[in-house]
């Protein structure tokens, strides 16, 4: 029993023993071995490439051109442009541009549809056929050959085993063994015949695969050719359209491509000057000119912050390359903030970080003459672009400091707010520079303040700002600022109103004779009261809405106190003679009456001091009498 099991195991393991051919490669020649290995690789490559290429198609696979065009996004874009074009004026340049874009997008969609159809016909379909039909047949034949080879080896092994057993036992049962031997021989011969046939088929497939290898390569070459052809057509359409648009814009005097907007803020000074072909930076010159005309008398210039939205709008306008800031003449603080922001956002400070140590050494000199000479030496080391812009800016700051009585901006105040924006040190550097930067705020302020104070000596010559001198020294226009009286206390009848200076110089002064006025009161002597009613020019409706008028002054004489209760005839006569003192109007434009209000109704009095209804109506005897307006009751009541 054990011997039979061992023999069975030997039969099963015999095909895998040494000297036994159990693999297809043992049947192939050396020239066919590479082809046998490349079949599976080529099949996997054709499948993956075809799948990814199909995903790149923008329209579903179809042989109809119209169906493809309807599914393309470029054609939808072209149709959208055509619909929008109908609502625009026919003479508008935008309509011509949209019309050209519509035609170009339609041409691109047509070229894309043709490209996809050619790609499907020449690349996708052959790759799909190769990965799903041709190469799978070769793989199938190889598997069949491998199976027949294993079956033939097993049948051959069984036949050899029977022959061996018969030779070892010649006297055995030959009647039973002979038919079995014949059956094994027939089985082995049939398997051998089928194996040879399958081998021939597989070898034929391999030879055919080798012959078509160059054809398979052409599929990928055709893919690149079709892509190149499509892109060439697209580029030709785009180039032609852009050329026509450029010619159209040149004829109309417009520029097709504008300069980029990021050439002002955050750009180096040299790049900005070369881009705009100027010597003074556009933000510096534009802001300085506007401030010279409308901001020299503005208190706290460069110190007070402007509205964030206005400053953002102004910076965007400057960043677009605009130099006309006329619409911001009523916002001098925003203009000053835009100039300060430009200086702060420069990659390299206007006074250069390379000369930071030189500026610090010059500022540390105590003697004024030597310090001034040191400033001149450092200025000579500045590049020409930096020197010209710094000289332009310092000359303007000198004019600003000349109006310090009005704008409160002394050279020291200007240096405090502008110094850190003109000079700073590199964050990285030697320890000496880092240590010096720790004390830099005070020294930087001293440097800028010194340059402003001695600007006429260190910056020789006169700078032409393009602004008339009378416009620089003139006070602020009342149409651009509010008129606010600067009075410490309300003027009285004995003291004239204080003089108005600065932006408020346009307010007419009060004539001395208009400070007091005598008011006639019935039955009493003239009462002298304070008044601020004088001849004041009428303002225009546009101006009066923005100009603050002086508030009417209060009477300087307190109103008399009216006693309560019964009184004699003399007292009642005095009370009847008194009238409330009215407020006076500043000018004639306010809708306030200049005449005093009427007296309140008074009860008729008898000669004995009693009223008419005192005896008949007891309930009214002790009733309080009405008081006139603007009267103060006595402390008793």
């Amino acid at each position: 029993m054990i011997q039979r099991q061992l023999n069975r195991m030997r039969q099963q393991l015999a095909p895998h023993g040494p000297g036994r051919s159990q693999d297809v490669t043992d049947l192939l020649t050396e020239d066919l071995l590479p082809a046998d290995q490349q079949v599976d690789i080529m099949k996997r490559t054709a499948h993956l490439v075809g799948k990814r290429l199909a995903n790149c198609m923008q329209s579903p696979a179809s042989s109809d051109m119209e169906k493809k065009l309807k599914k393309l996004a470029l054609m939808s874009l072209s149709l959208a442009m055509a619909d929008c074009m109908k609502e625009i004026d026919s003479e508008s340049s935008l309509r011509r541009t949209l019309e050209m874009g519509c035609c170009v997008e339609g041409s691109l969609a047509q070229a894309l549809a043709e490209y996809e159809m050619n790609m499907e016909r020449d690349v996708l379909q052959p790759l799909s056929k190769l990965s799903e039909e041709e190469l799978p047949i070769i793989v199938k034949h190889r598997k069949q050959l491998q199976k027949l080879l294993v079956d033939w080896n097993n049948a051959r092994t069984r036949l050899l085993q029977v022959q061996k057993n018969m030779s070892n036992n010649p006297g055995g049962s030959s009647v039973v063994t002979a038919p079995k031997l014949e059956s094994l021989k027939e089985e082995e011969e049939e398997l051998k015949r089928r194996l040879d046939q399958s081998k021939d088929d597989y070898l034929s497939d391999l030879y055919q695969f080798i012959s078509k290898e160059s054809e398979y390569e052409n599929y990928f070459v055709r893919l690149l050719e079709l892509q190149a052809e499509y892109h060439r057509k697209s580029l030709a359409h785009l180039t032609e359209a852009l050329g026509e648009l450029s010619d159209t814009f040149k004829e109309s005097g417009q520029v097709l491509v504008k300069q980029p907007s990021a050439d002002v803020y955050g750009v180096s000074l040299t790049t900005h000057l070369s881009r705009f072909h100027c010597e003074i930076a556009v933000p510096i010159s534009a802001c300085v000119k506007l401030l010279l005309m409308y901001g020299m008398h503005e208190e706290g210039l460069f110190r007070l912050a402007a509205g964030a939205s206005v400053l953002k709008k102004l910076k965007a306008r400057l960043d677009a390359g605009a130099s006309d800031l006329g619409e911001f003449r009523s916002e001098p603080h925003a203009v000053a903030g835009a100039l300060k922001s430009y200086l702060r956002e420069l990659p390299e400070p206007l006074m250069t970080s390379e000369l930071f140590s030189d500026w610090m050494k010059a500022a540390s000199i105590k003697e004024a003459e030597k310090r001034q000479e040191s400033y001149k030496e450092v200025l000579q080391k500045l590049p020409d672009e930096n020197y010209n812009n710094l000289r332009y800016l310092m000359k303007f700051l000198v004019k600003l400091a000349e109006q310090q009585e009005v704008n409160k901006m002394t050279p020291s105040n200007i240096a405090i707010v502008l110094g850190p924006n003109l000079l700073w040190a590199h964050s990285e550097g030697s320890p000496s520079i880092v240590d010096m930067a720790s004390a830099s705020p005070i020294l930087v302020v001293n440097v800028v303040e010194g340059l402003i104070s001695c600007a006429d000596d260190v910056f020789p010559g006169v700078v032409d700002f393009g602004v008339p001198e009378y416009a620089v020294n003139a006070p602020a226009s009342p149409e651009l600022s509010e008129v606010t009286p600067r009075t410490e206390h309300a003027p009285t009848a004995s003291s004239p109103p204080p003089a108005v200076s600065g932006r408020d110089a346009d307010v007419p002064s009060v004539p001395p004779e208009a400070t007091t006025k005598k008011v006639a009161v019935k039955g009493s002597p003239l009462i002298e009261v304070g008044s601020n009613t004088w001849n004041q020019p009428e303002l225009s409706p546009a101006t009066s809405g923005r100009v603050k008028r002086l508030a009417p002054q209060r009477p300087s004489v307190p109103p008399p106190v009216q006693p309560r209760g019964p009184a004699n005839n003399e007292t009642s006569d005095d009370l009847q003679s008194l009238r409330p003192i009215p407020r006076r109007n500043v000018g004639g434009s306010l809708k306030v009456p200049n005449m005093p209000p009427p007296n309140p109704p008074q009860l008729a009095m008898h000669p004995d001091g009693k009223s008419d209804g005192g005896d008949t109506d007891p309930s009214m005897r002790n009733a309080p009498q009405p008081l006139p307006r603007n009267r103060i009751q006595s402390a008793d009541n």
Side-chain angles (χ1 to χ4, degrees), residues 345-557:
E345 295 181 16
L346 284 174
E348 179 73 10
L350 192 60
M351 300 173 68
T352 67
S353 298
E354 296 179 357
L355 300 176
F356 183 82
S357 59
D358 297 340
W359 287 115
M360 297 299 101
K361 292 177 182 178
S364 60
I365 299 175
K366 296 182 179 180
E367 298 181 7
E369 295 181 358
K370 292 184 179 180
R371 184 170 61 250
Q372 182 174 337
E373 292 297 329
S374 180
Y375 286 157
K376 291 182 180 179
E377 294 177 0
V378 180
L379 288 173
Q380 294 299 325
K381 299 179 183 179
L382 282 175
D384 295 338
E385 298 85 358
N386 296 65
Y387 177 82
N388 294 334
N389 284 269
L390 181 62
R391 176 173 175 268
Y392 186 90
L393 183 62
M394 288 299 169
K395 290 290 187 179
F396 159 71
L397 296 179
V398 170
K399 291 184 176 294
L400 180 64
E402 291 176 356
Q403 307 292 333
Q404 56 183 307
E405 294 183 359
V406 181
N407 55 37
K408 309 302 180 184
M409 294 302 294
T410 62
S412 176
N413 293 340
I414 297 174
I416 290 174
V417 296
L418 282 183
N421 300 314
L422 293 172
L423 179 62
W424 62 82
H426 287 297
S427 58
E428 300 178 358
S430 60
S432 60
I433 294 180
V434 176
D435 296 339
M436 191 177 299
S438 61
S440 62
I442 299 177
L443 295 178
V444 167
V445 171
N446 293 339
V447 170
V448 178
E449 183 180 0
L451 291 178
I452 296 174
S453 302
C454 60
D456 294 336
D457 297 329
V458 297
F459 297 104
V462 179
V463 175
D464 183 14
F465 295 102
V467 179
E469 191 67 23
Y470 67 87
V472 176
N473 299 324
S477 174
E479 295 183 359
L480 301 176
S481 60
E482 296 179 349
V483 180
T484 306
R486 300 181 181 179
T487 56
E488 299 295 336
H489 55 83
T492 60
S494 60
S495 62
V500 182
S501 60
R503 292 188 299 152
D504 307 329
D506 292 340
V507 180
S509 60
V510 182
E513 62 274 7
T515 57
T516 60
K517 186 175 182 180
K518 295 182 179 180
V519 180
V521 181
K522 180 179 180 181
S524 63
L526 294 177
I527 299 177
E528 191 174 288
V529 297
S531 175
N532 61 349
T533 305
W534 66 88
N535 294 329
Q536 184 178 7
E538 291 291 337
L539 299 178
S540 62
T543 307
S544 61
R546 294 191 293 269
V547 176
K548 292 183 178 179
R549 298 185 179 276
L550 296 175
Q553 298 178 358
R554 300 301 297 270
S556 60
V557 179

Side-chain angles (χ1 to χ4, degrees), residues 159-324:
L159 178 61
L160 293 175
Q161 185 66 30
V162 171
Q163 291 177 353
K164 184 179 179 180
N165 293 336
M166 291 179 64
S167 61
N168 291 334
N169 298 319
S173 58
S174 58
V175 178
V176 179
T177 306
K180 184 176 181 180
L181 182 61
E182 289 294 331
S183 175
L184 290 175
K185 285 183 179 180
E186 292 178 358
E187 181 181 359
E188 189 269 340
E189 290 176 356
E190 178 65 20
L191 291 174
K192 178 65 174 175
R193 182 184 63 79
R194 293 172 57 187
L195 176 63
D196 294 338
Q197 183 179 359
S198 178
K199 177 183 177 181
D200 294 338
D201 294 339
Y202 182 64
L203 294 179
S204 176
D205 293 338
L206 290 181
Y207 282 119
Q208 187 177 7
F209 174 78
I210 294 174
S211 64
K212 289 185 176 182
E213 188 173 0
S214 58
E215 182 180 350
Y216 301 154
E217 294 176 0
N218 289 333
Y219 296 157
F220 303 99
V221 175
R222 182 58 178 166
L223 168 63
L224 300 179
E225 290 177 353
L226 290 175
Q227 288 181 338
E229 183 181 0
Y230 163 68
H231 288 295
R232 277 195 298 267
K233 289 182 178 180
S234 302
L235 180 60
H237 291 310
L238 293 173
T239 304
E240 182 181 359
L242 289 175
E244 294 182 6
L245 287 176
S246 179
D247 296 340
T248 304
F249 278 100
K250 285 181 180 179
E251 293 177 359
S252 60
Q254 301 179 4
V255 180
L256 180 60
V257 181
K258 296 184 178 180
Q259 295 180 353
S261 60
D263 285 337
V264 178
Y265 283 88
V267 181
S268 64
L269 182 62
T270 305
T271 304
H272 172 74
L273 296 179
S274 61
R275 171 73 66 168
F276 288 90
H277 306 286
C278 57
E279 295 183 357
I280 306 300
V282 173
I284 296 178
S285 61
C287 294
V288 164
K289 289 179 181 179
L290 190 138
L291 291 176
L292 282 172
M293 296 182 65
Y294 303 104
M296 300 300 287
H297 296 79
E298 191 71 23
E299 183 175 345
L301 197 65
F302 290 104
R303 180 174 58 84
L304 299 180
S309 59
V310 179
L311 181 59
K312 181 179 179 181
K313 176 183 176 183
L314 177 55
K315 290 179 63 177
R317 183 172 178 83
L318 288 172
D319 212 12
S323 59
D324 183 12

